[in-house]
Amino acid sequence: MNTARRLQAFGQTIFTEISHLAVQHDAVNLGQGFPNFDGPDFVKDAAIDAIRSGKNQYAPLSGVSGLRRAIAERFTSRTGIDVDPDGNVTVTSGCTEALASSFLGLIDPGDEVVVIEPFYDSYPADIALAGAIPRFVTLVPPHFELGEEMLRAAFTPRTRAILINTPHNPTGRVFSRDELQLVASLCKEHDAIAITDEVYEDLVFDGSHLSLAQLDGMWERTLTLSSLGKTFSLTGWKVGWAIGPEALTRGIRAAHQFVTFATATPIQYGAAAALRASRPFYDELTAAYRRRRDLLTDGLRSLGFEVFTPEGTYFALADHTPFGFPDDVAFARHMVADIGVAVIPPSAFYHHREDGASLVRFAFCKDEATIECALERMTKLSS
Ligand SMILES: Cc1ncc(COP(=O)(O)O)c(C=O)c1O
């Protein structure tokens, strides 16, 4: 046992097993959360130009200025909040690093952090890295709503932060103004900060995305995290950012400077070009993802699944229990080995695994032919 005690609980996950099985059985992969199509040429060309024109040495700690400006302008145009690219924006190596650096730079050992479950799998590990204590709030099917009673009960005098992901992986919820208002009022009541993960901010089909920082009195206590990967189908680029008031920006930078110091320079030039994309790019993105969502969810329903229609993200949760398997892991193993479709068992996203045992997560960041092929294979499922 050489792994540090604080990380031992997070050993190898079921995802590694499913990925191996997917390769072994040549499965259609609706498990992994990355597109099977490529990002736009204008973005790739900007990164290639940067490499060829010698933008290949360390970037400044906070990110190259053109990218920070593009991040600030896009945020301002969406939220109406005036953002200073120098004092309020930090470029990170994906949202994953932004999350880790936020926790390491802003949370002390023993602090409590309110975290919504099902959660993105790095959250509990980040909380553990910081030596903090998670307080879970569980979203319950079929509506996966943030209820006042549960949320209020999770806040205590030791609460330092709440971590909110909207649009939410894996439920597909886009939290409403009322739900976020509740979060805001509890943060103010308990003098807590909010760290928001908004990596799916451009993948919204029903309702509209609202940043917690937009609510009254929340800018000064919110660090808004996002990244390039999902919107621009470039998940391997790992460019993310944090936007927040100077005090919180100082915190994340204090850790970021020792975690990675800076993010790959030419890729930041590509990211700056991406963030200057105009309206039609976003309209086409949403329309294409809405088609994929509907194709998958309609298909799953006709196969006998109860599907929880996602309002956003590129994931859909469904209830697999009509097919008679004891839990999500047994169902996922059957799917990959016998049906030839890889899916994710969501119990790994809950601290009480049984809370996710009836669910299965499908990713629809795949071209329509791939989704159709998966649905065709699933006709072998019998309920
Ligand atoms: C909710 C959520 N946050 C963060 C990430 C990671 O983002 P990045 O690739 O920018 O590190 C993901 C990726 O799947 C995610 O689903």
Side-chain angles (χ1 to χ4, degrees):
M1 270 297 189
N2 293 322
T3 305
R5 273 194 300 280
R6 64 183 173 278
L7 288 178
Q8 280 172 12
F10 303 98
Q12 182 175 304
T13 66
I14 180 71
F15 311 128
T16 314
E17 180 192 334
I18 298 284
S19 294
H20 281 136
L21 287 173
V23 173
Q24 199 178 319
H25 294 277
D26 196 20
V28 178
N29 204 331
L30 300 191
Q32 291 162 331
F34 57 80
N36 70 342
F37 38 84
D38 208 1
D41 285 342
F42 75 95
V43 181
K44 292 186 287 186
D45 289 343
I48 292 164
D49 288 349
I51 290 176
R52 292 203 194 286
S53 62
K55 307 281 197 306
N56 297 307
Q57 307 310 327
Y58 291 130
L61 176 156
S62 59
V64 303
S65 62
L67 175 55
R68 279 184 288 111
R69 236 182 2 258
I71 293 166
E73 284 166 12
R74 196 174 84 132
F75 188 72
T76 300
S77 75
R78 292 174 172 201
T79 62
I81 301 169
D82 230 6
V83 170
D84 166 21
D86 295 329
N88 303 135
V89 179
T90 307
V91 176
T92 59
S93 297
C95 183
T96 307
E97 193 248 317
L99 284 158
S101 291
S102 303
F103 277 88
L104 293 171
L106 289 163
I107 310 290
D108 277 313
D111 283 350
E112 290 184 5
V113 177
V114 177
V115 54
I116 313 299
E117 63 176 359
F119 42 68
Y120 179 56
D121 57 357
S122 73
Y123 298 170
D126 289 332
I127 293 170
L129 281 176
I133 299 158
R135 294 283 171 220
F136 295 101
V137 173
T138 311
L139 303 178
V140 179
H143 300 301
F144 298 106
E145 279 162 355
L146 268 178
E148 169 153 12
E149 206 178 311
M150 279 186 319
L151 202 55
R152 192 168 281 286
F155 276 79
T156 78
R158 287 209 302 277
T159 303
R160 164 70 173 144
I162 180 167
L163 175 51
I164 286 278
N165 167 218
T166 186
H168 181 258
N169 169 12
T171 64
R173 279 299 319 283
V174 175
F175 291 119
S176 67
R177 182 175 288 272
D178 282 353
E179 288 169 301
L180 294 178
Q181 203 72 63
L182 178 63
V183 171
S185 68
L186 286 165
C187 284
K188 286 185 256 181
E189 205 176 298
H190 291 269
D191 195 22
I193 63 168
I195 298 169
T196 68
D197 174 343
E198 305 185 11
V199 297
Y200 298 102
E201 61 187 305
D202 294 305
L203 300 181
V204 174
F205 318 113
D206 305 318
S208 53
H209 173 68
L210 183 66
S211 287
L212 187 65
Q214 288 174 257
L215 299 185
D216 241 19
M218 286 309 287
W219 160 256
E220 48 277 27
R221 55 176 75 245
T222 303
L223 197 60
T224 304
L225 313 184
S226 192
S227 71
L228 194 79
K230 322 290 178 186
T231 301
F232 294 94
S233 309
L234 292 164
T235 58
W237 278 27
K238 298 297 285 183
V239 180
W241 51 86
I243 306 169
E246 287 195 14
L248 299 185
T249 296
R250 270 197 300 278
I252 185 175
R253 286 184 186 173
H256 167 73
Q257 69 177 326
F258 298 120
V259 173
T260 58
F261 182 76
T263 295
T265 307
I267 292 294
Q268 293 196 48
Y269 284 90
L275 295 186
R276 300 206 183 281
S278 56
R279 192 70 251 162
F281 171 84
Y282 292 101
D283 292 343
E284 278 165 35
L285 177 81
T286 321
Y289 267 109
R290 182 179 280 109
R291 277 198 306 277
R292 295 178 194 122
R293 177 195 68 164
D294 293 347
L295 177 65
L296 176 71
T297 55
D298 292 349
L300 290 175
R301 277 196 191 96
S302 67
L303 291 167
F305 286 93
E306 182 190 354
V307 184
F308 308 105
T309 306
E311 300 160 312
T313 77
Y314 49 49
F315 299 112
L317 282 184
D319 184 327
H320 64 76
T321 54
F323 301 99
F325 288 83
D327 60 31
D328 59 326
V329 172
F331 180 73
R333 285 191 179 125
H334 172 68
M335 282 283 281
V336 67
D338 304 320
I339 305 293
V341 177
V343 292
I344 293 293
S347 54
F349 305 142
Y350 290 86
H351 80 294
H352 291 309
R353 288 176 159 255
E354 58 278 15
D355 287 336
S358 63
L359 302 172
V360 52
R361 191 193 78 178
F362 295 89
F364 56 87
C365 44
K366 313 291 168 181
D367 57 66
E368 291 179 39
T370 301
I371 297 171
E372 274 161 2
C373 174
L375 289 168
E376 169 60 30
R377 288 185 179 195
M378 280 188 268
T379 56
K380 286 180 284 178
L381 272 172
S382 50
S383 52

mmCIF file of all heavy atoms in Angstrom, residues 183-202:
data_model
loop_
_atom_site.group_PDB
_atom_site.id
_atom_site.type_symbol
_atom_site.label_atom_id
_atom_site.label_comp_id
_atom_site.label_asym_id
_atom_site.label_seq_id
_atom_site.Cartn_x
_atom_site.Cartn_y
_atom_site.Cartn_z
ATOM 1 N N VAL A 183 -29.763 27.961 -2.903
ATOM 2 C CA VAL A 183 -28.329 27.779 -2.654
ATOM 3 C C VAL A 183 -27.722 29.122 -2.237
ATOM 4 O O VAL A 183 -26.974 29.212 -1.259
ATOM 5 C CB VAL A 183 -27.617 27.250 -3.926
ATOM 6 C CG1 VAL A 183 -26.101 27.269 -3.755
ATOM 7 C CG2 VAL A 183 -28.112 25.851 -4.274
ATOM 8 N N ALA A 184 -28.086 30.164 -2.967
ATOM 9 C CA ALA A 184 -27.521 31.495 -2.685
ATOM 10 C C ALA A 184 -27.884 31.938 -1.271
ATOM 11 O O ALA A 184 -27.025 32.424 -0.517
ATOM 12 C CB ALA A 184 -28.040 32.501 -3.712
ATOM 13 N N SER A 185 -29.137 31.735 -0.889
ATOM 14 C CA SER A 185 -29.525 32.245 0.423
ATOM 15 C C SER A 185 -28.824 31.451 1.532
ATOM 16 O O SER A 185 -28.418 32.030 2.545
ATOM 17 C CB SER A 185 -31.043 32.311 0.578
ATOM 18 O OG SER A 185 -31.544 31.016 0.601
ATOM 19 N N LEU A 186 -28.620 30.145 1.325
ATOM 20 C CA LEU A 186 -27.908 29.363 2.344
ATOM 21 C C LEU A 186 -26.429 29.758 2.415
ATOM 22 O O LEU A 186 -25.838 29.797 3.495
ATOM 23 C CB LEU A 186 -28.060 27.868 2.065
ATOM 24 C CG LEU A 186 -29.461 27.334 2.401
ATOM 25 C CD1 LEU A 186 -29.694 25.964 1.787
ATOM 26 C CD2 LEU A 186 -29.658 27.274 3.922
ATOM 27 N N CYS A 187 -25.833 30.052 1.265
ATOM 28 C CA CYS A 187 -24.429 30.501 1.266
ATOM 29 C C CYS A 187 -24.292 31.794 2.069
ATOM 30 O O CYS A 187 -23.363 31.956 2.863
ATOM 31 C CB CYS A 187 -23.936 30.764 -0.160
ATOM 32 S SG CYS A 187 -23.577 29.265 -1.063
ATOM 33 N N LYS A 188 -25.248 32.698 1.856
ATOM 34 C CA LYS A 188 -25.150 33.989 2.552
ATOM 35 C C LYS A 188 -25.394 33.801 4.052
ATOM 36 O O LYS A 188 -24.659 34.326 4.878
ATOM 37 C CB LYS A 188 -26.143 34.976 1.938
ATOM 38 C CG LYS A 188 -25.656 35.476 0.564
ATOM 39 C CD LYS A 188 -26.553 36.533 -0.011
ATOM 40 C CE LYS A 188 -27.404 35.954 -1.108
ATOM 41 N NZ LYS A 188 -28.303 36.855 -1.767
ATOM 42 N N GLU A 189 -26.410 32.988 4.351
ATOM 43 C CA GLU A 189 -26.737 32.738 5.764
ATOM 44 C C GLU A 189 -25.547 32.139 6.521
ATOM 45 O O GLU A 189 -25.301 32.456 7.672
ATOM 46 C CB GLU A 189 -27.900 31.742 5.785
ATOM 47 C CG GLU A 189 -28.762 31.769 7.003
ATOM 48 C CD GLU A 189 -29.922 30.774 6.796
ATOM 49 O OE1 GLU A 189 -30.734 30.961 5.857
ATOM 50 O OE2 GLU A 189 -29.981 29.808 7.561
ATOM 51 N N HIS A 190 -24.786 31.274 5.843
ATOM 52 C CA HIS A 190 -23.687 30.563 6.514
ATOM 53 C C HIS A 190 -22.323 31.118 6.141
ATOM 54 O O HIS A 190 -21.302 30.514 6.455
ATOM 55 C CB HIS A 190 -23.752 29.064 6.174
ATOM 56 C CG HIS A 190 -24.926 28.388 6.792
ATOM 57 N ND1 HIS A 190 -24.876 27.789 8.023
ATOM 58 C CD2 HIS A 190 -26.205 28.267 6.365
ATOM 59 C CE1 HIS A 190 -26.075 27.291 8.325
ATOM 60 N NE2 HIS A 190 -26.893 27.571 7.325
ATOM 61 N N ASP A 191 -22.313 32.237 5.472
ATOM 62 C CA ASP A 191 -21.069 32.858 5.011
ATOM 63 C C ASP A 191 -20.162 31.836 4.316
ATOM 64 O O ASP A 191 -18.966 31.740 4.600
ATOM 65 C CB ASP A 191 -20.337 33.526 6.191
ATOM 66 C CG ASP A 191 -19.263 34.473 5.670
ATOM 67 O OD1 ASP A 191 -19.358 34.911 4.510
ATOM 68 O OD2 ASP A 191 -18.300 34.753 6.428
ATOM 69 N N ALA A 192 -20.764 31.069 3.417
ATOM 70 C CA ALA A 192 -20.010 30.049 2.676
ATOM 71 C C ALA A 192 -19.745 30.534 1.256
ATOM 72 O O ALA A 192 -20.451 31.401 0.748
ATOM 73 C CB ALA A 192 -20.821 28.751 2.626
ATOM 74 N N ILE A 193 -18.730 29.952 0.638
ATOM 75 C CA ILE A 193 -18.477 30.260 -0.764
ATOM 76 C C ILE A 193 -19.113 29.174 -1.651
ATOM 77 O O ILE A 193 -19.481 28.102 -1.148
ATOM 78 C CB ILE A 193 -16.969 30.367 -1.087
ATOM 79 C CG1 ILE A 193 -16.249 29.031 -0.847
ATOM 80 C CG2 ILE A 193 -16.325 31.496 -0.298
ATOM 81 C CD1 ILE A 193 -14.825 28.990 -1.421
ATOM 82 N N ALA A 194 -19.248 29.472 -2.939
ATOM 83 C CA ALA A 194 -19.772 28.482 -3.883
ATOM 84 C C ALA A 194 -18.731 28.257 -4.968
ATOM 85 O O ALA A 194 -18.110 29.210 -5.452
ATOM 86 C CB ALA A 194 -21.077 28.970 -4.502
ATOM 87 N N ILE A 195 -18.544 26.998 -5.298
ATOM 88 C CA ILE A 195 -17.704 26.643 -6.447
ATOM 89 C C ILE A 195 -18.662 25.998 -7.436
ATOM 90 O O ILE A 195 -19.354 25.027 -7.092
ATOM 91 C CB ILE A 195 -16.574 25.683 -6.024
ATOM 92 C CG1 ILE A 195 -15.663 26.377 -4.996
ATOM 93 C CG2 ILE A 195 -15.771 25.217 -7.241
ATOM 94 C CD1 ILE A 195 -14.674 25.455 -4.305
ATOM 95 N N THR A 196 -18.773 26.576 -8.635
ATOM 96 C CA THR A 196 -19.733 26.019 -9.591
ATOM 97 C C THR A 196 -18.984 25.394 -10.760
ATOM 98 O O THR A 196 -17.990 25.938 -11.237
ATOM 99 C CB THR A 196 -20.710 27.086 -10.124
ATOM 100 O OG1 THR A 196 -20.006 28.022 -10.938
ATOM 101 C CG2 THR A 196 -21.407 27.816 -8.993
ATOM 102 N N ASP A 197 -19.486 24.258 -11.195
ATOM 103 C CA ASP A 197 -18.903 23.533 -12.325
ATOM 104 C C ASP A 197 -19.916 23.649 -13.464
ATOM 105 O O ASP A 197 -20.992 23.054 -13.411
ATOM 106 C CB ASP A 197 -18.680 22.075 -11.894
ATOM 107 C CG ASP A 197 -18.216 21.180 -13.038
ATOM 108 O OD1 ASP A 197 -18.362 21.559 -14.210
ATOM 109 O OD2 ASP A 197 -17.734 20.066 -12.736
ATOM 110 N N GLU A 198 -19.567 24.455 -14.471
ATOM 111 C CA GLU A 198 -20.519 24.763 -15.540
ATOM 112 C C GLU A 198 -20.002 24.278 -16.899
ATOM 113 O O GLU A 198 -20.229 24.904 -17.924
ATOM 114 C CB GLU A 198 -20.808 26.278 -15.527
ATOM 115 C CG GLU A 198 -21.298 26.723 -14.152
ATOM 116 C CD GLU A 198 -21.740 28.174 -14.030
ATOM 117 O OE1 GLU A 198 -21.884 28.855 -15.062
ATOM 118 O OE2 GLU A 198 -21.945 28.621 -12.880
ATOM 119 N N VAL A 199 -19.314 23.124 -16.907
ATOM 120 C CA VAL A 199 -18.695 22.663 -18.150
ATOM 121 C C VAL A 199 -19.714 22.338 -19.246
ATOM 122 O O VAL A 199 -19.370 22.312 -20.420
ATOM 123 C CB VAL A 199 -17.743 21.454 -17.953
ATOM 124 C CG1 VAL A 199 -16.569 21.809 -17.075
ATOM 125 C CG2 VAL A 199 -18.478 20.236 -17.424
ATOM 126 N N TYR A 200 -20.985 22.104 -18.847
ATOM 127 C CA TYR A 200 -22.016 21.812 -19.871
ATOM 128 C C TYR A 200 -22.886 23.036 -20.149
ATOM 129 O O TYR A 200 -24.008 22.899 -20.639
ATOM 130 C CB TYR A 200 -22.880 20.625 -19.412
ATOM 131 C CG TYR A 200 -22.068 19.358 -19.261
ATOM 132 C CD1 TYR A 200 -21.668 18.911 -18.004
ATOM 133 C CD2 TYR A 200 -21.655 18.638 -20.374
ATOM 134 C CE1 TYR A 200 -20.885 17.768 -17.866
ATOM 135 C CE2 TYR A 200 -20.874 17.499 -20.250
ATOM 136 C CZ TYR A 200 -20.502 17.069 -18.994
ATOM 137 O OH TYR A 200 -19.719 15.942 -18.872
ATOM 138 N N GLU A 201 -22.378 24.239 -19.862
ATOM 139 C CA GLU A 201 -23.208 25.447 -19.954
ATOM 140 C C GLU A 201 -23.806 25.659 -21.351
ATOM 141 O O GLU A 201 -24.843 26.299 -21.486
ATOM 142 C CB GLU A 201 -22.407 26.692 -19.533
ATOM 143 C CG GLU A 201 -21.194 26.968 -20.402
ATOM 144 C CD GLU A 201 -20.322 28.101 -19.852
ATOM 145 O OE1 GLU A 201 -20.834 29.194 -19.625
ATOM 146 O OE2 GLU A 201 -19.103 27.852 -19.658
ATOM 147 N N ASP A 202 -23.166 25.139 -22.395
ATOM 148 C CA ASP A 202 -23.691 25.344 -23.750
ATOM 149 C C ASP A 202 -24.568 24.204 -24.233
ATOM 150 O O ASP A 202 -25.078 24.260 -25.351
ATOM 151 C CB ASP A 202 -22.529 25.553 -24.724
ATOM 152 C CG ASP A 202 -21.807 26.853 -24.422
ATOM 153 O OD1 ASP A 202 -22.481 27.890 -24.402
ATOM 154 O OD2 ASP A 202 -20.590 26.817 -24.154
#
